[in-house]
Amino acid sequence: MTRWIIFILVYIALGFYVIQALKTIAKQPWWSYLYIIVSFAVMVNFIYQFTVGDDTSRVLNAPKSYAFGFLLTILTFNIITIIFLFSEDLYRITSGIYHKIYGVDKEFGLPARRRFLSLIALGVASIPFGALLYGMYKGKYNFKVLKYTLEFDDLPDGFDGYQITQISDIHSGSFDDRKMIEYGVNLINKQKSDVLLFTGDMVNNMTSEMLPWADLFSTLHAKDGLYSVLGNHDYGDYIPWETEELKKQNLEDLKALQKKMGFDLLLNEHRYLQKGEDKIALVGVENWGKGGFKKAGDLKKAASQINENDFKILMSHDPSHWEMEVIKDSYHYHLTLSGHTHGMQFGIEIPGWIKWSPVKWRYPYWAGIYKEMGQFINVNRGFGFLGYPGRVGIWPEITVITLRKKALT
């Protein structure tokens, strides 16, 4: 209860500050009234969804996600506005003190708030405000197909031109638009790749989240099959369970559902992809992540029955595994496929110019292709979304990678 009281008081205080800017730029009071109504409605909805709504458990369902999304939008608008106004207030207070000490008028008073600075504050704040709303309305299903060609000296001849489609982080428990998910699934199939690889997080927490969407994802196809690994969310670790047996059964149900949908789930094991006499070792590990994430992945076990000289593709959900273990392993993993970061679902990307997201401060390898010690990794930005029900600048991704034999020079 105490935390809700503190939240309400802080929220109201931030809103009061923003109202000062609105009063400065607009003589009509209805702007302030509109802001108060919207801000109050967002606060009440957030508190309702997380206290007495239809689902008061820790499961992050669609109503809760949108309540959080709208709250994030308002808070972002408030905080950016306040940064400008607080800077001005420091000047106003300093000026008031100076005039009291050295001025003719010994009465302390603050200079009037400058209208143009309030206009700038509200104008700048409106940019992320609009972007976050757009991200919830359109951005989360703005699927992008990103294509890469990677060259290798030792790629088996039969795999020259071999095409891989990678998807990751479906997070089916967050979906709310069947038509757009159908569009995304069809877009995957349109790539007509040789193999389809899914790198974890099919659900947010529970297998039941995937049931309404399983028929759509069961239509995925590739000539050489569909393969998958588990992500940190697939284990059900982020919600309470009545018994440990129910949690374990949830994971077993997810494994069975993936098999029913046509995926070959790799649990610290390998498969060989074959083209004539040539082959590639496809290795899949369970989740392995730094910073408190589950470390069920066992690279040694997964690769125990393959040859050191095999061309290897590794599926590992969390890119920190590549950073911490894979590139240092005695085996050379030519290509690792990961996901997990979502690119934080927020950032700025202009191909060839800039690629930035706050998530880079936690994950050095957070989106796209990287190369270290002669080994590649692709970090997929994710097909779905989690928490904030949208995407801004970092769009949902379908990766298509073409393997090429490097020409002799």
Side-chain angles (χ1 to χ4, degrees):
M1 185 63 180
T2 303
R3 72 174 184 266
W4 286 114
I5 293 173
I6 294 173
F7 164 73
I8 292 170
L9 291 176
V10 171
Y11 188 83
I12 291 174
L14 294 176
F16 178 79
Y17 221 130
V18 174
I19 289 172
Q20 307 311 305
L22 291 170
K23 287 182 177 180
T24 301
I25 68 168
K27 295 181 180 179
Q28 301 87 350
W30 65 268
W31 280 102
S32 297
Y33 296 152
L34 178 63
Y35 170 80
I36 291 171
I37 291 170
V38 172
S39 184
F40 182 75
V42 167
M43 180 187 71
V44 169
N45 182 52
F46 180 80
I47 295 173
Y48 171 79
Q49 294 296 342
F50 284 86
T51 55
V52 295
D54 294 336
D55 185 355
T56 57
S57 70
R58 288 167 57 188
V59 177
L60 194 61
N61 56 21
K64 284 182 180 178
S65 293
Y66 277 99
F68 171 73
F70 286 122
L71 179 73
L72 178 65
T73 302
I74 290 292
L75 286 177
T76 301
F77 179 82
N78 289 353
I79 290 170
I80 292 176
T81 302
I82 288 168
I83 289 172
F84 280 87
L85 298 189
F86 183 71
S87 301
E88 183 188 26
D89 283 347
L90 289 177
Y91 164 78
R92 293 169 69 213
I93 292 170
T94 303
S95 179
I97 293 173
Y98 178 85
H99 283 90
K100 177 175 173 56
I101 296 174
Y102 299 105
V104 177
D105 187 358
K106 297 303 180 181
E107 293 292 327
F108 177 75
L110 294 177
R113 193 178 294 281
R114 289 173 289 182
R115 184 172 183 272
F116 85 93
L117 194 58
S118 293
L119 280 169
I120 293 174
L122 293 172
V124 171
S126 68
I127 296 173
F129 177 82
L132 287 168
L133 289 178
Y134 175 82
M136 289 190 284
Y137 177 59
K138 287 286 189 182
K140 61 187 175 183
Y141 296 129
N142 186 22
F143 298 107
K144 300 295 183 184
V145 178
L146 301 185
K147 297 186 177 184
Y148 304 98
T149 298
L150 301 180
E151 294 186 336
F152 303 89
D153 291 319
D154 55 348
L155 179 70
D157 292 337
F159 287 87
D160 187 24
Y162 195 75
Q163 185 169 294
I164 300 166
T165 289
Q166 180 200 2
I167 58 172
S168 192
D169 299 87
I170 290 174
H171 287 289
S172 54
S174 300
F175 292 158
D176 57 8
D177 190 328
R178 189 172 182 86
K179 183 177 180 181
M180 291 308 301
I181 299 305
E182 185 175 354
Y183 165 75
V185 169
N186 289 336
L187 193 57
I188 296 170
N189 282 332
K190 284 182 179 178
Q191 306 314 308
K192 297 181 178 179
S193 290
D194 295 290
V195 69
L196 175 63
L197 306 180
F198 168 61
T199 47
D201 277 2
M202 182 167 281
V203 298
N204 294 345
N205 297 287
M206 298 183 296
T207 301
S208 58
E209 298 165 1
M210 190 63 189
L211 296 180
W213 312 97
D215 61 327
L216 284 180
F217 284 90
S218 295
T219 65
L220 291 172
H221 57 83
K223 289 181 289 184
D224 292 342
L226 285 61
Y227 298 88
S228 63
V229 293
L230 296 174
N232 56 299
H233 278 269
D234 294 322
Y235 297 90
D237 287 341
Y238 304 119
I239 60 172
W241 296 88
E242 291 183 10
T243 65
E244 188 65 24
E245 287 70 25
L246 286 175
K247 180 181 177 182
K248 290 179 180 178
Q249 186 58 51
N250 178 72
L251 180 57
E252 293 306 312
D253 290 344
L254 182 61
K255 293 177 183 177
L257 180 60
Q258 290 207 26
K259 182 177 181 180
K260 185 178 179 180
M261 292 166 57
F263 285 94
D264 185 355
L265 178 61
L266 304 184
L267 300 168
N268 294 324
E269 52 191 331
H270 82 282
R271 303 286 186 269
Y272 275 113
L273 303 175
Q274 200 86 24
K275 291 291 182 185
E277 296 183 357
D278 293 326
K279 63 182 181 179
I280 282 179
L282 179 63
V283 182
V285 296
E286 294 195 49
N287 191 80
W288 193 105
K290 68 178 181 181
F293 287 105
K294 182 182 285 292
K295 288 182 171 63
D298 188 334
L299 187 59
K300 295 297 184 184
K301 179 182 177 182
S304 61
Q305 298 182 44
I306 66 174
N307 190 291
E308 181 179 359
N309 296 321
D310 286 336
F311 188 95
K312 307 172 198 67
I313 297 176
L314 173 67
M315 300 167 64
S316 181
H317 176 70
D318 191 320
S320 65
H321 187 213
W322 187 73
E323 173 192 359
M324 304 293 291
E325 287 201 340
V326 176
I327 58 176
K328 303 171 185 176
D329 193 83
S330 58
Y331 275 18
H332 181 91
Y333 289 89
H334 299 74
L335 172 62
T336 297
L337 302 176
S338 299
H340 182 63
T341 72
H342 299 206
M344 203 174 169
Q345 298 169 209
F346 178 85
I348 302 172
E349 282 198 85
I350 303 174
W353 290 85
I354 185 172
K355 183 177 75 173
W356 178 87
S357 168
V359 78
K360 68 178 292 184
W361 296 324
R362 177 170 173 80
Y363 292 98
Y365 310 101
W366 61 274
I369 298 286
Y370 302 90
K371 186 178 183 180
E372 297 286 352
M373 299 173 63
Q375 300 169 82
F376 289 97
I377 186 174
N378 179 65
V379 184
N380 184 285
R381 295 157 181 81
F383 186 89
F385 51 91
L386 181 68
Y388 165 62
R391 285 178 175 267
V392 178
I394 306 295
W395 311 120
E397 175 182 346
I398 298 162
T399 311
V400 177
I401 297 174
T402 302
L403 307 181
R404 285 292 182 186
K405 180 94 171 186
K406 187 176 290 186
L408 298 176
T409 57

